[in-house]
Amino acid sequence: MPDVDVVVIGGGATGAGVLRDLAMRGLRAVLVERADFGSGTSGRYHGLLHSGARYVVHDPESARDCARENAVIRRIAPACLELTGGYFVATPDDPLDYAERFVPACAAAGVEVDEVSPAALLDAEPLLNRRIWRAFSVADASLEPWELIDANLASARAHGAEAWRYTRLTRIVTGEDGAVAGVELEAGRTGERRTIACSAVVNAAGAWAGQVAALAGARLGMRPGKGAMLVMNRRLTSAVVNRLAPAGDGDILVPVHTVSILGTTDVEVADPDDVRVTDEEVRALLADGDRLVPGLSGSRVVRAYAGCRPLYDEADVDAAHESREISRAHHVVDHGQRDGIRGLWSIVGGKLTTYRLMAEQTVDAVAGALGVAAACRTADEVLPGSEEGRSYWLGERLAALEAEGGGDADLVCECEIITSGQLQAELDAHPDSTLDDLRRATRLGMGPCQGAFCTCRAAALLSDRQGMGLNGSATPDPNAALLAFLAERVRGTRAIAWGDQLAELWLEAGVYRGTLAVDTIGAAGNGSQDGAPSHAEP
Amino acid sequence: MPSHDAVVVGGGLSGLTAGLALAESGADVALLAKGMAASHWVHGGIDIADSGQASSSAAAAAALASLPGHPYAVLADDLPAAVAEALRRLADAGLPYRGGLDAPLEWIPTAIGGLRRAAILPDGQATVLDPWEADEGLLLVGVERYRDFWAGYAARNLAAAEWPGGPARVHAAVVELPGLARLRNLTPLVIARLFDDPVWRRSAWPLIRQAVPAGRWRIGVPAVLGLDRHAEVLAEAVRELGPVFEMPSLPPSVPGIRLHDALRRRFEASGGRLEIGFGVTGVERSAGAVAALETAAAGRPRRVAAGVFVLATGGLAGGGLRGLPGGKLEETVFGLPVSSPSADRWFSGEPLGDGVELERAGIRVNADLRPLDTAGRVVLDNVLVVGSELSGMRYLSERCGDGVALASGHRAGRLIGVGQRATATTTTTTTTRRTAS
Ligand SMILES: Cc1cc2nc3c(=O)[nH]c(=O)nc-3n(C[C@H](O)[C@H](O)[C@H](O)COP(=O)(O)OP(=O)(O)OC[C@H]3O[C@@H](n4cnc5c(N)ncnc54)[C@H](O)[C@@H]3O)c2cc1C
Ligand SMILES: Cc1cc2nc3c(=O)[nH]c(=O)nc-3n(C[C@H](O)[C@H](O)[C@H](O)COP(=O)(O)OP(=O)(O)OC[C@H]3O[C@@H](n4cnc5c(N)ncnc54)[C@H](O)[C@@H]3O)c2cc1C
């Protein structure tokens, strides 16, 4: 008798969507994620709910999926969206004839576009290149990945499923008949091992799907495509801006809360954990960014990061092609048929925009094999938190704070307007959160200053809760978390270390090391009730 | 068109020290600075050097002086006089400091519960240097709603720390001070200004006193004990609370601002001309030397000529060095050659321990503080480089930033004072003639 019907591997958007769909169809399911939910590609992506227009010319199938799912997500998850709208713009460097192919291709793929005059565009987006000569508006939006994943997991839990973070799959156990019998798991923080018996496994490990399939002895050729993005220190445009051209580097600018994100490159890498950003990538992005917003390269880049596209190497795809040319449409791989491992499916490729559709098609296959006839309802039922049908807007948090009576003394993070009350609430709900988990949950430190000082305040808050005995036993050490954050901040800035950003980093380092001697705080003590250590009390 | 004996570019510790030395010796000196830079960020103590082992700053500085390329290799002789002068000037300005080059380096607690060693601190912080009595505890008192002093966190860290000769116990408390609830942007400066008000602080002392438990305590508070009337506030705090000391934290740093303001006042009182807010926008050269600088005063370019120029622009943090995309550094005023480890090694090293290699970057100088190129030749004859703009040190790991600023500023004043004034005058003449023709 299996413990559960299905184990889902991977807590990105796809895995969370699969878990919700399984649970809504009445299957007993558990999801395991090796780190925090949304710490893989879903948390390191560009932030765009695609209209589909980007793919109409080269990958109409993808375009159609995106257009359809764009409408679905607006319906089921408005709270995760800022409805920025988007533009496709032709700069003097873009091909003259692309629009002639673009417009009919949009019509064919069901992607709505409206031509706008360059004058009207520049009125709405004054920082854009004044030599833009053609523009179309589309239904792009800014999509908050962690909220979306949390909402899917919350819905799944409400339907009886479980989701465990910091739990890594170490082996997929198969029986004599070659069918999946269970999984071996290891808890990341305690190293504790456990085995779960199950009838099926869904591999939703994104760019890591090849590694996961190998844990069952199956071969799944992945071609992780690394993409780098630059976080600019302010919001340069209020809508998403795409180049009216075949996909290239640095050709999309997405407004995300208080900042703008420019991306992306595409470089095939052997290891999906290799997400270092190189100087060449930064240069290429900035050069292209200048074509959209002249002078962009002179403004401050506050962070560079990269993620890996979960691209799948189909045997029939010409290996010589650049990875951007591979269809990004997704594939559900039945390892029973392919490798004789019954009960194992991998879902690879796709986009965040199409996560739900990918989940639906995967669960159709799994449910069918398990003899469950229930139909998919994930496109109809609104996600938790989105019941009111409202999407968020820049300034919402400030407005909420003002509505409470104003005063900003309680703010921990000035850039993203996060109060200590919000952090306390998050820690009450998830007492074992790390600083990084708090970042994903609240956007702590994700604004223009990138956590220069709010991280320190958050560490103090963690420590105070520890002192009051409010944290779980698995609570991470606030000192270790702070030190890791600061070291990463120095090293992680390498690729964007110039100009004001480098000066800022130097001033911060001066305060942390010179004034606070932060390097001398050790592992945090097990604080007692009042902040005083028991051994030092008289 | 103004012409001076000397122009100092940069208004931090090194620039003000050089400017003061010159002004006090009777020179006509102007100081131009873009902004405040380090002073609003630093702890306000004076760090000369600390190797972790040496018993005094003098011993630690001597050890650094033996490292090839370290600024102390050429500055060691200036250090005693530089420190003595600085302490004298600060006392004269009403901001007395305690300690000195030969005073023992003592462990002191930081606002996050770290420990660092110090030997020269302003009176507002210096009480922490006293030996801890056997029954004496440390009480950290935070202020409700002020976000950047973490009494509980620091107390927990200090209690767990190896603190040689430290207090018998550490305790934390947070007090609610009157009128803070409705304030926005509650920085330490705002609270310091409240303490400047005698009426307000009379209502604050009892609230703080209430937080002190029975027993013997030395009290650490955020560094907010007044700004313009600090001495008065401090004396009253000691009367009302007993032994109390300030602990600087995240910027803005009130002790750093007090230090800066004190030196600034002395500089102006000594006849120096100060212009803050103007970056250098252009340089006029003549035959291997600098004739004049152009600044963007109130939007209009203005020419400032002098015989000698002191570059005190503070390195990467101050704005004197600027990183360019692709791993290059430029010196922002004269375009001097920058001595730097190769870009691929910039971030090697422990960011929070020994520091990263990039910290060593700066301008290489000879014993006369003249900037050198890679071949060791003097690049500009009438430019002297001082402070954190110098290459070859790691001011955070070696805790030598203030000492180098003082000693190099002092040396610059001395060098210009003796040898250079004559040359200075001739250069000025050339410049004037050039412009006149
Ligand atoms: C640079 C870039 C920009 C992009 N921009 C966009 C965009 O703007 N719009 C859009 O729609 N799409 C975009 N995409 C695509 C989109 O981000 C991805 O397709 C999507 O996030 C993939 O989600 P996922 O859940 O499949 O994978 P992931 O989010 O990567 O989730 C897989 C998870 O599996 C976990 N895992 C791995 N191994 C194990 C194990 N052994 N045990 C347990 N867990 C394991 C990982 O930790 C990871 O969290 C972009 C992609 C990239 C790289
Ligand atoms: C945050 C911080 C913390 C530190 N902590 C310590 C410590 O704990 N211990 C220690 O030993 N050292 C420390 N240091 C080192 C510190 O640099 C020295 O202690 C000292 O204060 C440096 O003084 P300075 O005069 O060289 O430079 P700064 O104080 O940086 O002054 C530079 C000046 O030059 C001006 N300037 C720059 N470029 C231009 C331009 N183009 N035109 C006009 N003006 C310009 C700036 O506006 C500023 O006025 C710290 C430094 C920083 C930044």
Side-chain angles (χ1 to χ4, degrees), chain A residues 279 283 286 402 405-414 453 456-457 459-461 463-468 478-479 482-484 486-488 490-491 493-494 497-500 502-533 535-538, chain B residues 37-38 41-43 47 107 110-116 145-148 150-157 159-161 168-173 180-186 217 248-251 315-319 321-327 329 343-344 346-347 349-356 358-359 395-397 399:
Chain A
D279 295 347
R283 266 200 295 275
L286 288 177
E402 292 291 343
D408 60 1
D410 198 32
L411 280 185
V412 173
C413 174
E414 286 97 339
F453 297 125
C456 198
R457 297 172 186 153
L461 194 134
S463 165
D464 282 350
R465 291 177 58 96
Q466 218 162 43
M468 291 183 282
N479 286 353
L482 177 64
L483 294 172
L486 293 174
E488 161 58 26
V490 175
R491 290 213 188 87
T493 314
R494 202 190 49 82
W498 70 81
D500 294 344
L502 183 56
E504 193 69 25
L505 185 75
W506 233 245
L507 285 165
E508 268 165 55
V511 173
Y512 276 112
R513 293 179 58 207
T515 303
L516 296 178
V518 75
D519 49 310
T520 63
I521 57 174
N526 307 317
S528 66
Q529 300 300 314
D530 60 357
H535 75 261
E537 280 299 334
Chain B
W41 293 68
V42 296
H43 48 62
D47 286 346
W107 288 103
T110 73
I112 203 171
L115 288 167
R116 67 182 197 92
R145 283 187 192 78
Y146 165 47
R147 294 166 280 200
D148 294 332
W150 316 282
Y153 185 28
R156 276 184 290 279
N157 279 335
R169 56 196 185 279
V170 189
H171 197 93
L180 299 191
R182 287 178 318 277
L183 288 177
R184 283 178 181 250
N185 194 13
L186 196 61
W217 299 96
S249 186
L250 300 187
L316 280 169
L321 295 181
R322 196 169 167 84
L324 303 173
L329 293 175
D344 54 326
W346 277 9
F347 290 91
E350 266 311 307
L352 301 174
D354 298 345
V356 294
L358 178 56
E359 288 182 19
Y395 55 68
L396 295 173
S397 330
R399 290 213 172 266

Side-chain angles (χ1 to χ4, degrees), chain A residues 503 506-516, chain B residues 8-17 31-49 116 251 259-260 275-281 295 311-321 331-334 386-390 393-406 408:
Chain A
W506 233 245
L507 285 165
E508 268 165 55
V511 173
Y512 276 112
R513 293 179 58 207
T515 303
L516 296 178
Chain B
V8 178
V9 185
L13 192 55
S14 66
L16 282 165
T17 300
L31 189 152
L32 313 172
K34 201 168 55 178
M36 311 301 179
S39 58
H40 286 45
W41 293 68
V42 296
H43 48 62
I46 294 180
D47 286 346
I48 304 297
R116 67 182 197 92
L259 171 61
H260 182 258
E275 294 184 31
I276 292 189
F278 307 119
V280 171
T281 51
T295 67
L311 187 69
T313 45
L316 280 169
L321 295 181
E331 187 280 301
T332 55
V333 175
F334 301 112
V386 297
S388 296
E389 186 75 3
L390 294 169
M393 65 175 148
R394 286 181 156 177
Y395 55 68
L396 295 173
S397 330
E398 299 163 351
R399 290 213 172 266
C400 63
D402 305 316
V404 166
L406 293 180
S408 57

Side-chain angles (χ1 to χ4, degrees), chain A residues 138-266:
Chain A
V138 297
D140 286 340
S142 182
L143 171 60
E144 174 67 60
W146 300 297
E147 296 234 356
L148 182 70
I149 292 170
D150 274 357
N152 272 280
L153 294 178
S155 166
R157 289 195 185 97
H159 288 90
E162 286 186 45
W164 303 332
R165 57 181 182 171
Y166 296 102
T167 304
R168 175 194 287 274
L169 172 83
T170 51
R171 199 162 80 91
I172 298 175
V173 186
T174 48
E176 310 239 303
D177 55 352
V180 166
V183 293
E184 285 179 10
L185 307 173
E186 187 183 292
R189 283 176 177 165
T190 57
E192 200 182 305
R193 292 172 173 278
R194 66 196 288 189
T195 305
I196 303 278
C198 61
S199 315
V201 168
V202 172
N203 171 12
W208 295 267
Q211 295 176 8
V212 164
L215 297 173
R219 208 199 60 80
L220 179 62
M222 296 296 293
R223 293 182 51 186
K226 182 185 70 162
M229 287 143 288
L230 303 180
V231 183
M232 311 306 297
N233 73 339
R234 62 206 172 102
R235 208 164 136 126
L236 297 166
T237 60
S238 50
V240 175
V241 183
N242 307 260
R243 291 269 291 278
L244 188 58
D249 289 350
D251 59 354
I252 309 184
L253 191 59
V254 183
V256 178
H257 294 260
T258 51
V259 296
S260 279
I261 303 184
L262 175 69
T264 80
T265 55
D266 194 349

Side-chain angles (χ1 to χ4, degrees), chain A residues 5 17 20 44 54 64 88 98 131 137 154 166 182 189 264 270 290 374 385 460 485 523:
Chain A
D5 297 320
R20 175 183 193 229
R44 312 182 68 91
R54 182 169 164 81
R64 206 165 296 115
F88 277 76
Y98 191 73
R131 290 160 65 210
S137 76
Y166 296 102
R189 283 176 177 165
T264 80
D290 274 340
F485 169 85

